[in-house]
Amino acid sequence: MILHQIEALKDVGVTEVILAINYRPEVMINFLKDFEDKLGIKITCSQETEPLGTAGPLALARGKLVDGSGEPFFVLNSDVISEYPFAELIRFHKSHGGEATIMVTKVDEPSKYGVVVMDEETGRVDRFVEKPKIFVGNKINAGIYLLNPSVLDHIELRPTSIEKEVFPKISAGQKLYAMVLPGFWMDIGQPKDYITGLRLYLDSLRKKAPSRLAAGPHIVGNVLVHENAVIGEGCLIGPDVAIGPGCVIESGVRLSRCTVMRGVRIKKHSCVSSSIIGWHSTVGQWARIENMTILGEDVHVSDEVYSNGGVVLPHKEIKSSILKPEIVM
Amino acid sequence: MASSQEKAVAVILMGGPTKGTRFRPLSLNVPKPLVPLAGQPMVNHPISACKRIPNLARIYLIGFYEEREFALYVSSISYELRVPVRYLREDKPLGSAGGIYKFRDHIMEENPCHIFLLNCDVCCSFPLSEMLDAHRRHGGMGTILVIKVSAETANQFGELVADPITNEVLHYTERPETFVNDLINCGVYVFTPQIFTIIEGVILQGNNTVNLRRETSLEAFQSVAKVLPPEFVRLDQDILTPLAGKKKLYTYETVDFWEQIKTPGMSLRCSGLYLSQFRQTAPHLLATGDGTRSPSITGDVLIHPSAKVHVTAKIGPNVSVSANARVGAGVRLIGCIILDDVDIKENAVVINSIVGWKSSIGRWARVQGEGDYNEKLGITILGEAVAVEDEVVVINSIILPNKTLNISVQEEIIL
C-alpha cells in the first residue's frame, strides 16, 4: 500500500519520505530499504515513544521537515488509497496562498465522518463538524494534506489531533483551503473496505493503464496478476482479483473479489471469493473460502474445508469448517 | 434342515403417505418405501433378504398407498428376483396386527408354515434363515428379532426381557417411561399361522385396551373422544405384551447393525451401513478407481452403470450415485446420495447431503451438511428438481422441490 503513495510522491519531485511510526519501525525500514535505491528516494523514520495523535508526530519530526527552503510538505494517512493527484494539489496550494491545503472527498453518508464545510468557489474552509446530525455538507477529510512549515508553529509536542485542534485554528485565520479529490478514495483500515478499495483501484487502472490488467478466456472483469504468478487450466478468475508474486493457482480454481498475497498456493477445484489470503498461505483442494475470510500469514486450509468469514491468525492450520464468521486464534 | 413341505411367506409393512411425514421432502413425490438408499429402493433391501428364506412362496407388501404407485415396482421386482411379490392396499387404519389379519386369506393361500413379518423402514442384516432355524427350535408361536442398544435410547422402542437360556420372552413393553431392559424389538418377526387365531381372539374380546402410559395429550383426547373399532389391533400392545411369559414368544438376538429409517438423515446413514455390508456380501457392486481411467474412489461407493462420472472427480466415502446422474470434472462427493438424473457441474462439492431426482448443482457450488443424522437440519436435502446455481453455498438446509437457489443459504428450510 505504502509503495503506491511513495511512488506518487516521487513523481512530483519529493526527495525524502519520513515514516511516522509508533510500532516496530525496523520492519518497515527493512522492507523499504530495497526501494530506496530502486526509487531513488530517501526514506527515514520518526518513532513515537508515546502515541502522539494525528498532529503530534509532525512536531516530533520538525527537525527533518523544516529544511530552511520554506517549501510546503505533504502529510499522508497510510490507510488511505486514491489516485494521489499531487501535482494538482501543489498547483492549487500555490494559487490560493494559504497556509495549508487539505484534500477532501465527497461521500454518500457524511454523518459517519468529520465533515469539512467549505466555500465551493474558493475552496476556503469555514469549519469542521464531527459526525453532524443534520446535513452541513458532504465533503470529508481525505487524509491527504499539503502544509507550509509555518503550520508546525501551531503544533506542540504532545498528543494532538490535527482535525480537532490544528486545522480549526488555521481555518479561523482564513488560511485553510480544501480541494476536492478527483477519482476514487477509500479508507482501507478495515479488511472489508480493503476489498472495496481493491475494486476501486482496479477500476481506475482499467481507465489509466488497461494493459497492466490480465486478459484471456479465464479472466472476468478487472484482474491484476503478478508476472511471477502461475495460473492453471480451467480456472475462472475475477472480477476484482489481485494475485501477488510467486502465487500458484492450480487448475479448476474460481477466484472472485479477493486478494491473494505473495507466495500463496490455491489448490485444485477450490473457490475463493470476497476474501484476503495472506502471504505464503495455502488453500486446500475443493475448499471454499468466502464472505470476508481473512487468512493471516502462513495459514493452511485443509482440503474440502469451508470458511464463512473466518478471521485466522497467522501460522495456523484449519482442518474443519468455519460455518459462521469467527476469529480463529 | 427345513423340510421341503414347509413353505414360508413374508409380509412387509410399508405404512402410507400420511405416515412417515418425517421423511419429507423426499417422500413428497415418491412413496417412502421407494426412496433409494445404497442404490436401491428402500423396500428392496428387506425383499432381497427374504430371498434367503428357504421355500419362500410369496412376498406381500401391505400399505396405504394407491395401488398404481406400486404396480410397476411390484411387477419388475417379481421378475428380477424370481419370486412373486404382491401389493395389498389397506383402506383404513387397522393397526399393524389388524392389517395382516385382514389379509389372512391371501397370506394363507399357499398354506405356509412360517409367516415372516418385517417393517419396511428397518435397516439391518436381516438374518432371516437363522431366525427361522431358531424359531423351529423354540417351537413357539413367534420369534422376534431383538438387539441390545444403549440404555438411553432403549425407551424409544419396544423393550423386552428374555430368558437367557430358553430365549422365551418374559416381558414386553412398548416405549416405557422408565428403564425396563436394553433389549429391544427390531421390527422383524416370524410367526406360525396361529398368529391369526390370536389376533382373532383379541378382536372378538374387544380387548384392545389403549396403552395408558406414554400417550401424548392428543392421543389421550382422541381415545376418550372416539372408540377404537374392534378390528384395530396393534401388534406390540395388543398381541406381544399379553403373550409375554406364556411360552409362546421367543427371541433371536442379532449383533449386526440395526437402525430405523425414519428421516432422510437416517437414510443417508443406513445407505452407508448397507454399502459397507456390500463390501462383505457383494463387493462387485462397489466402485473402484484411482483417477487414471476412472474417477478416484475412496471408501464404499456405489455408482449406477448408467451414471457418467468424470475421471477427475473424487468420490467417497459413503456415496451412492443413481441412474443417469452426471458428475462433472473436478467434483468432490463425500457422504451423499445422488438420485436419478442429477447433474453436478465442474468443481462442485457435495458433503453429507441427499440430492433429489433431476436436481442440478452449478459450477463451484457447495452443498453441505454437518452430518448429524439425528438433527432436523443435520444434513442438507435437496428435493426433486432443485437447481443450485454456480458458486452458491447451501449448508444444513432443506430445499423443497422445484426451487432455484441463486443465493447462499445456511440452516434454512426453503418452501
Side-chain angles (χ1 to χ4, degrees):
Chain A
M1 275 158 53
I2 199 166
L3 283 179
H4 291 277
Q5 295 179 340
I6 295 180
E7 284 175 355
L9 290 169
K10 165 106 201 309
D11 285 346
V12 286
V14 170
T15 52
E16 184 180 354
V17 171
I18 303 151
L19 308 178
I21 299 178
N22 60 14
Y23 175 75
R24 290 227 261 155
E26 66 278 2
V27 178
M28 299 277 315
I29 291 293
N30 285 337
F31 174 78
L32 292 169
K33 271 268 166 282
D34 297 332
F35 294 91
E36 248 189 333
D37 301 325
K38 258 187 250 172
L39 294 170
I41 191 168
K42 187 166 161 214
I43 301 179
T44 57
C45 170
S46 166
Q47 185 177 8
E48 300 160 49
T49 44
E50 52 156 335
L52 290 172
T54 44
L58 299 179
L60 186 62
R62 186 192 185 103
K64 304 199 177 111
L65 291 169
V66 182
D67 61 359
S69 65
E71 290 293 314
F73 57 91
F74 288 95
V75 177
L76 306 184
N77 181 333
S78 65
D79 276 357
V80 153
I81 59 165
S82 77
E83 285 169 11
Y84 309 118
F86 294 144
E88 290 101 308
L89 178 56
I90 294 175
R91 270 198 296 277
F92 179 69
H93 181 79
K94 290 203 149 74
S95 77
H96 65 63
E99 208 179 351
T101 306
I102 63 175
M103 301 209 77
V104 293
T105 182
K106 185 163 148 214
V107 291
D108 290 335
E109 293 188 56
S111 27
K112 296 208 280 208
Y113 307 91
V115 175
V116 179
V117 182
M118 57 193 263
D119 180 311
E120 300 285 333
E121 296 263 324
T122 60
R124 205 178 58 227
V125 173
D126 189 31
R127 66 192 197 282
F128 285 78
V129 183
E130 191 65 21
K131 295 199 178 38
K133 299 232 170 35
I134 55 164
F135 185 86
V136 294
N138 57 8
K139 312 284 188 301
I140 61 156
N141 179 2
I144 299 172
Y145 323 129
L146 187 55
L147 310 177
N148 287 353
S150 56
V151 167
L152 292 169
D153 300 335
H154 299 287
I155 308 179
E156 292 166 29
L157 183 50
R158 60 172 175 81
T160 315
S161 162
I162 205 167
E163 302 94 338
K164 298 200 171 79
E165 298 176 57
V166 180
F167 286 152
K169 228 190 283 182
I170 304 177
S171 130
Q174 315 278 319
K175 288 192 177 294
L176 179 64
Y177 286 78
M179 176 181 163
V180 179
L181 182 62
F184 72 93
W185 176 89
M186 194 81 204
D187 176 343
I188 55 174
Q190 306 270 11
K192 166 164 74 74
D193 297 324
Y194 175 97
I195 296 279
T196 310
L198 174 65
R199 174 173 62 80
L200 292 174
Y201 175 81
L202 291 178
D203 269 344
S204 151
L205 204 57
R206 166 79 57 200
K207 295 188 197 106
K208 301 231 159 111
S211 55
R212 288 184 52 195
L213 293 174
H218 57 292
I219 304 288
V220 174
N222 299 333
V223 173
L224 193 59
V225 182
H226 195 277
E227 57 195 3
N228 292 348
V230 173
I231 300 184
E233 301 198 346
C235 292
L236 189 59
I237 315 281
D240 301 324
V241 173
I243 300 177
C247 288
V248 176
I249 315 294
E250 294 185 3
S251 49
V253 166
R254 176 85 182 92
L255 302 179
S256 65
R257 290 175 240 284
C258 58
T259 291
V260 179
M261 301 210 175
R262 163 193 301 274
V264 165
R265 173 179 286 267
I266 312 266
K267 293 192 181 167
K268 292 189 213 174
H269 315 298
S270 53
C271 180
V272 180
S273 81
S274 302
S275 297
I276 301 175
I277 312 297
W279 311 263
H280 306 292
S281 292
T282 61
V283 172
Q285 292 190 43
W286 288 290
R288 176 66 178 244
I289 308 290
E290 63 176 19
N291 193 23
M292 280 323 303
T293 290
I294 303 166
L295 304 185
E297 180 177 357
D298 185 43
V299 169
H300 302 280
V301 176
S302 300
D303 291 354
E304 297 146 21
V305 163
Y306 170 67
S307 168
N308 175 17
V311 175
V312 185
L313 267 58
H315 310 295
K316 270 210 79 70
E317 255 194 80
I318 302 296
K319 298 192 188 145
S320 56
S321 293
I322 300 169
L323 293 183
K324 298 216 160 50
E326 68 177 89
I327 299 177
V328 179
M329 308 240 243
Chain B
M1 321 139 301
S3 143
S4 56
Q5 311 296 350
E6 288 187 6
K7 290 205 204 133
V9 297
V11 177
I12 302 181
L13 298 178
M14 304 215 295
T18 53
K19 312 196 180 266
T21 57
R22 277 185 286 168
F23 216 75
R24 293 173 176 173
L26 294 178
S27 54
L28 282 175
N29 296 343
V30 170
K32 177 177 161 183
L34 297 183
V35 173
L37 52 152
Q40 308 170 17
M42 188 186 298
V43 70
N44 260 38
H45 295 278
I47 290 181
S48 303
C50 289
K51 278 281 285 178
R52 295 196 292 270
I53 300 171
N55 294 315
L56 180 72
R58 199 175 288 267
I59 300 178
Y60 293 97
L61 309 180
I62 297 186
F64 293 93
Y65 298 95
E66 304 277 330
E67 271 102 344
R68 60 181 159 74
E69 299 205 73
F70 281 94
L72 271 178
Y73 173 74
V74 155
S75 67
S76 81
I77 195 78
S78 301
Y79 177 75
E80 191 183 315
L81 293 184
R82 304 261 183 275
V83 64
V85 178
R86 187 151 171 213
Y87 176 68
L88 299 171
R89 179 164 184 252
E90 294 179 77
D91 48 15
K92 60 179 183 172
L94 296 169
S96 39
I100 58 172
Y101 181 77
K102 173 174 161 154
F103 293 115
R104 62 193 179 285
D105 293 332
H106 292 284
I107 296 172
M108 291 305 297
E109 199 176 7
E110 317 251 359
N111 263 319
C113 299
H114 312 294
I115 302 164
F116 281 83
L117 183 64
L118 301 85
N119 279 292
C120 164
D121 59 2
V122 158
C123 164
C124 69
S125 59
F126 296 110
L128 301 179
S129 83
E130 295 89 325
M131 252 178 100
L132 182 59
D133 288 342
H135 172 72
R136 297 176 72 250
R137 277 199 309 274
H138 298 142
M141 186 214 76
T143 297
I144 309 176
L145 186 68
V146 297
I147 188 170
K148 273 203 175 47
V149 295
S150 73
E152 299 84 51
T153 55
N155 68 349
Q156 297 165 26
F157 310 105
E159 293 183 16
L160 318 100
V161 179
D163 184 300
I165 308 193
T166 65
N167 291 323
E168 190 207 332
V169 174
L170 300 174
H171 185 81
Y172 182 94
T173 178
E174 179 71 7
R175 302 237 215 147
E177 280 178 12
T178 56
F179 178 76
V180 172
N181 199 11
D182 56 2
L183 203 60
I184 59 135
N185 176 0
C186 291
V188 178
Y189 316 85
V190 57
F191 294 114
T192 65
Q194 210 192 350
I195 182 71
F196 295 117
T197 321
I198 306 273
I199 301 176
E200 193 173 63
V202 169
I203 291 175
L204 291 176
Q205 283 173 32
N207 209 9
N208 44 1
T209 52
V210 171
N211 185 353
L212 288 171
R213 290 164 287 164
R214 286 291 272 212
E215 269 187 336
T216 64
S217 55
L218 183 61
E219 284 168 21
F221 172 72
Q222 284 176 337
S223 61
V224 168
K226 98 179 162 188
V227 177
L228 290 169
E231 314 88 74
F232 189 96
V233 183
R234 293 155 302 184
L235 187 63
D236 303 298
Q237 293 93 322
D238 301 325
I239 306 288
L240 300 180
T241 302
L243 281 184
K246 299 204 170 112
K247 295 211 171 357
K248 291 214 178 278
L249 292 176
Y250 292 82
T251 61
Y252 176 77
E253 189 174 340
T254 171
V255 294
D256 294 332
F257 59 95
W258 180 86
E259 298 283 357
Q260 278 188 308
I261 317 170
K262 295 292 187 202
T263 61
M266 281 312 294
S267 80
L268 186 51
R269 165 154 171 70
C270 293
S271 187
L273 290 172
Y274 280 135
L275 288 179
S276 68
Q277 193 189 33
F278 287 161
R279 193 162 283 289
Q280 313 300 325
T281 59
H284 60 277
L285 290 179
L286 296 179
T288 52
D290 59 2
T292 51
R293 269 163 311 160
S294 54
S296 251
I297 306 287
T298 166
D300 301 324
V301 170
L302 193 134
I303 301 181
H304 194 276
S306 66
K308 281 190 171 35
V309 181
H310 196 275
V311 64
T312 57
K314 185 170 173 192
I315 318 283
N318 183 13
V319 174
S320 139
V321 179
S322 299
N324 298 311
R326 290 180 300 293
V327 176
V331 165
R332 183 78 181 93
L333 303 180
I334 304 176
C336 52
I337 296 177
I338 308 298
L339 294 178
D340 300 34
D341 293 308
V342 164
D343 185 11
I344 305 182
K345 301 220 166 51
E346 298 82 60
N347 302 312
V349 176
V350 181
I351 302 179
N352 293 333
S353 302
I354 301 180
V355 180
W357 307 262
K358 302 196 191 53
S359 290
S360 73
I361 298 182
R363 300 185 305 160
W364 287 289
R366 184 154 179 132
V367 175
Q368 178 178 331
E370 217 161 344
D372 186 341
Y373 303 113
N374 291 314
E375 279 291 314
K376 179 160 150 192
L377 292 179
I379 65 164
T380 285
I381 308 167
L382 306 186
E384 186 172 345
V386 166
V388 176
E389 294 195 347
D390 291 356
E391 298 170 49
V392 165
V393 176
V394 183
I395 299 196
N396 291 344
S397 296
I398 299 179
I399 315 296
L400 261 59
N402 300 310
K403 295 284 159 306
T404 296
L405 285 184
N406 50 22
I407 50 163
S408 297
V409 295
Q410 197 175 133
E411 278 169 39
E412 285 196 44
I413 301 179
I414 308 281
L415 295 176

